[in-house]
Amino acid sequence: MAKGEWKRSGTDDIQLTGRSECEVFDDGTNTFFWRAHTVTVLFILTCVLVYVTLLEETPHDTAYNTKRGIVASILVFLCFGVTQAKDGPFTRPHPAYWRFWLCVSVVYELFLIFILFQTVHDGRQFMKYIDPKLGIPLPERGYGGNCLIYDPGHPADPFHNIWDKMDGFVPAHFLGWYIKTLVIRDWWMCMIISVMFEFLEYSLEHQLPNFSECWWDHWIMDVLVCNGLGIYCGMKTLGWLSMKPYQWQGLWNIPTYKGKIKRIAFQFTPYSWVKFEWRPASNLRRWLAVLGIIFTFLLAELNTFYLKFVLWMPPEHYLVLLRLIFFVNVGGVAMREIYDFMDDPKFHKKLGQQAWIVAAITVTEFLIVVKYDPNTIMLPIPFFITQCWILGIVLILIWTLWRFFIRVWLFLNDITLRYKETRRRRQEGSSERDRVPGHADGSNLATSGRSKLNGSMDTVRHRKP
C-alpha cells in the first residue's frame, strides 16, 4: 500500500459494502516483524529434529515416547500452520497469532474426534495420560438449598447465603460476558443469550446438580449484576473502539519515546473496526442466521458444563480454563467470518475457516456428551417446563410465518389490488370522456364540414371544361 493511502477497515483487500466501517490510515511501513519467515522457521525446525535424532538418546519408556511423539507432531503441525495457513480477518497483534489459534482449533477438533471414537471407559481413562488426577468420578456441587437472602437463623452472619455464592465464578461471569459482548457487538443479542441461558439452567437442573441455583442467584447475581455489568462495560468499550481514530505509523517513524510506547500498546488493539448491524427482521436469511448463532452460543455454553460432567473434570481444573481461553481467542474471528458471510454473500462466497471449525467443535462436543452419558441427557424434562418451551417455539414459528410469509403476501396482495383499482379508474375516466356531448357534436360538425368541402371540390371538378 502506498504511503499515506486511505483504505477501509478489515483485511488488506476489502470490497466496499454498505456496512458501518471506520476509516484507517496506514503509512505502509513493513518491518521485520511483519515479513514472512517461512525459511527461518523451517531451518530452526530442521535443526531441532536433527538434534533429537542424532544427539539425543531415546529413553526406553513407551508411554513417555508416545507422549513426546504426539506433542512433537502437534508442534510441527503448528509451525506449518502458523507460517502457511491462510490469514483471517484479524491482523492485530499479528496475523501469525490468529493462524496459531486456527491450527489449535484443528488439533482440538482432532482430539475430540479421537475421544468420540473411544468407549466411555477408555475415553475417561485416556484423560489420565493428560493428568493422572483425572479419570475419577467427582460430585457436582449444588448451588440451591437455603435461598434466604437474610437468614435470621444465623445471627452471627445472616447474609451467609450470599457470601457462600461469592466464588470464582462471579468474576468469571463478568469477564466472560464482557468478552462475549466484544464478540457479538450487539446489546439485544447479548441480553437474549444471557436470559435464555438462565432459562436453560432452570430447565436442566434435574440433569446437572450445579444448575440448581436460588432465584436471586439466577436473576440478580447472574443476569443483572455479573452478566449485565459485563455487557454494559463491553458496550462502552465498543463505543470507544468505534470512535477511536485508526492511524498507524511505523515504530521508527514516531519521534518521541512516549509515542513509541503508545504505539506498542495499541498494537494489541484492533487494526480497524466494523460495527455489526445484525438486522434479524430485515429478511428470512438474516433471521435464520441470528437464530442459528444464538442456538450455537447456548449449545457451546451447555457443553462447558456437560463435558466436565461426563469426562469427570473438576470445575477448577486447568483444562476447563484452557477451553475457555481457547473459545475467547477463536470466538471473535469466527463471529466476524459469520457476519461477513451473512452480510455480504456476494463477496464472501463461503463460510470462513475459523467459523467452520468452531461449528464442528461445538457439534463434536455435544456428540461426546450424548455418547458418554445418554442416561443424563435423556432424563425426562418436567411437563410444565416442556409446555413452556413448546409455547416459546410455537410463538417463534408464528412470528416467522407472519413476518416473512403472511405479511409479505398481504403486502403484495395489497399492491396488486391498488394497481387493479388504479387501472380500472383510468379506464372509466377514458370511457366518460368518450361519452361527453361536446365531444360528440364537435366530431359531427367536423365530419359534416369535411363532407361539404368534399362536395364543393367535386363540383369544381365537374365544371372544368
Side-chain angles (χ1 to χ4, degrees):
M1 184 177 63
K3 187 174 181 179
E5 180 183 352
W6 288 83
K7 70 173 184 178
R8 287 284 181 179
S9 62
T11 53
D12 291 336
D13 354 335
I14 285 289
Q15 177 178 351
L16 300 182
T17 64
R19 297 181 298 173
S20 177
E21 303 184 21
C22 66
E23 295 283 356
V24 179
F25 177 78
D26 195 335
D27 64 1
T29 302
N30 187 20
T31 61
F32 176 83
F33 181 71
W34 290 102
R35 297 186 189 120
H37 302 288
T38 54
V39 177
T40 304
V41 173
L42 179 60
F43 176 76
I44 295 174
L45 179 62
T46 304
C47 292
V48 172
L49 294 178
V50 169
Y51 171 81
V52 172
T53 303
L54 301 179
L55 302 179
E56 188 178 75
E57 183 178 357
T58 304
H60 298 282
D61 187 343
T62 304
Y64 174 76
N65 291 335
T66 301
K67 292 181 181 179
R68 192 172 68 157
I70 293 174
V71 172
S73 302
I74 293 173
L75 291 178
V76 171
F77 173 74
L78 292 178
C79 290
F80 168 78
V82 167
T83 55
Q84 301 293 340
K86 186 176 68 173
D87 288 338
F90 292 171
T91 58
R92 291 292 190 270
H94 196 280
Y97 177 81
W98 304 108
R99 294 197 294 266
F100 168 79
W101 284 108
L102 174 65
C103 297
V104 171
S105 304
V106 176
V107 173
Y108 180 52
E109 171 64 7
L110 296 177
F111 168 75
L112 292 175
I113 295 295
F114 176 82
I115 294 294
L116 181 63
F117 278 79
Q118 307 305 308
T119 63
V120 176
H121 177 267
D122 291 343
R124 286 169 175 167
Q125 296 305 311
F126 177 79
M127 302 300 292
K128 287 188 174 182
Y129 289 98
I130 301 176
D131 187 349
K133 298 178 181 179
L134 297 177
I136 302 173
L138 297 174
E140 285 285 330
R141 176 185 174 187
Y143 285 75
N146 188 357
C147 291
L148 293 175
I149 297 178
Y150 181 86
D151 189 0
H154 291 74
D157 188 8
F159 295 100
H160 68 96
N161 287 328
I162 297 179
W163 310 134
D164 290 342
K165 306 299 186 293
M166 294 294 181
D167 51 15
F169 289 100
V170 173
H173 271 73
F174 167 78
L175 183 61
W177 274 103
Y178 174 78
I179 296 175
K180 291 172 189 174
T181 306
L182 298 182
V183 170
I184 300 175
R185 308 184 193 181
D186 185 83
W187 185 85
W188 280 105
M189 284 184 63
C190 290
M191 289 303 301
I192 289 173
I193 294 174
S194 175
V195 173
M196 286 293 296
F197 186 74
E198 299 303 322
F199 279 116
L200 283 173
E201 285 189 331
Y202 268 122
S203 305
L204 301 174
E205 63 182 13
H206 66 287
Q207 296 182 2
L208 294 186
N210 62 341
F211 279 164
S212 177
E213 298 176 349
C214 298
W215 66 268
W216 48 267
D217 199 359
H218 278 295
W219 304 111
I220 297 178
M221 291 188 63
D222 285 351
V223 175
L224 294 181
V225 178
C226 299
N227 301 357
L229 188 60
I231 294 172
Y232 173 79
C233 295
M235 293 304 298
K236 288 296 183 181
T237 305
L238 291 176
W240 176 76
L241 290 172
S242 62
M243 299 298 295
K244 172 183 173 295
Y246 291 90
Q247 300 180 4
W248 303 103
Q249 289 181 280
L251 188 63
W252 305 114
N253 296 334
I254 302 175
T256 63
Y257 287 106
K258 181 179 179 180
K260 293 179 185 294
I261 295 174
K262 186 178 179 181
R263 175 64 180 83
I264 293 174
F266 277 128
Q267 182 67 27
F268 297 91
T269 62
Y271 176 78
S272 61
W273 194 252
V274 175
K275 182 181 179 181
F276 287 180
E277 297 177 355
W278 293 104
R279 301 192 305 273
S282 59
N283 57 63
L284 182 61
R285 184 175 184 269
R286 298 181 76 96
W287 169 247
L288 295 178
V290 170
L291 288 181
I293 291 170
I294 294 175
F295 175 80
T296 306
F297 245 93
L298 293 174
L299 183 60
E301 293 277 357
L302 291 177
N303 288 342
T304 304
F305 296 90
Y306 279 92
L307 265 182
K308 63 185 180 67
F309 179 78
V310 301
L311 294 178
W312 297 347
M313 290 188 295
E316 64 275 4
H317 197 271
Y318 71 90
L319 289 180
V320 179
L321 179 61
L322 287 179
R323 180 185 176 276
L324 296 177
I325 295 175
F326 163 76
F327 271 99
V328 165
N329 285 276
V330 303
V333 182
M335 188 60 64
R336 172 63 184 275
E337 291 177 347
I338 292 172
Y339 181 79
D340 289 339
F341 179 70
M342 181 190 69
D343 193 61
D344 190 12
K346 294 183 179 179
F347 182 67
H348 302 276
K349 299 183 183 299
K350 60 181 181 179
L351 187 64
Q353 51 191 2
Q354 187 68 80
W356 191 94
I357 196 69
V358 167
I361 286 172
T362 305
V363 173
T364 309
E365 288 180 341
F366 178 71
L367 293 177
I368 291 174
V369 172
V370 172
K371 178 179 179 178
Y372 276 53
D373 199 350
N375 296 327
T376 300
I377 298 297
M378 298 306 294
L379 285 176
I381 300 177
F383 181 67
F384 71 96
I385 294 179
T386 305
Q387 287 180 318
C388 294
W389 281 105
I390 291 176
L391 177 61
I393 294 173
V394 169
L395 290 177
I396 292 176
L397 290 176
I398 292 175
W399 189 88
T400 303
L401 292 174
W402 164 256
R403 181 66 178 83
F404 300 108
F405 295 96
I406 300 176
R407 186 181 175 189
V408 173
W409 179 81
L410 292 175
F411 177 73
L412 295 176
N413 190 39
D414 183 62
I415 291 178
T416 304
L417 292 176
R418 289 184 181 183
Y419 173 75
K420 291 181 178 179
E421 181 67 21
T422 304
R423 185 177 179 182
R424 185 182 62 82
R425 289 180 180 179
R426 288 179 179 177
Q427 291 176 352
E428 290 179 354
S430 60
S431 301
E432 289 178 359
R433 285 194 298 269
D434 292 341
R435 291 195 298 268
V436 173
H439 288 283
D441 296 342
S443 60
N444 294 334
L445 290 173
T447 303
S448 60
R450 282 193 294 269
S451 301
K452 292 180 180 179
L453 180 60
N454 292 334
S456 60
M457 290 299 294
D458 294 337
T459 307
V460 172
R461 290 193 191 97
H462 288 299
R463 287 179 182 177
K464 287 183 179 181

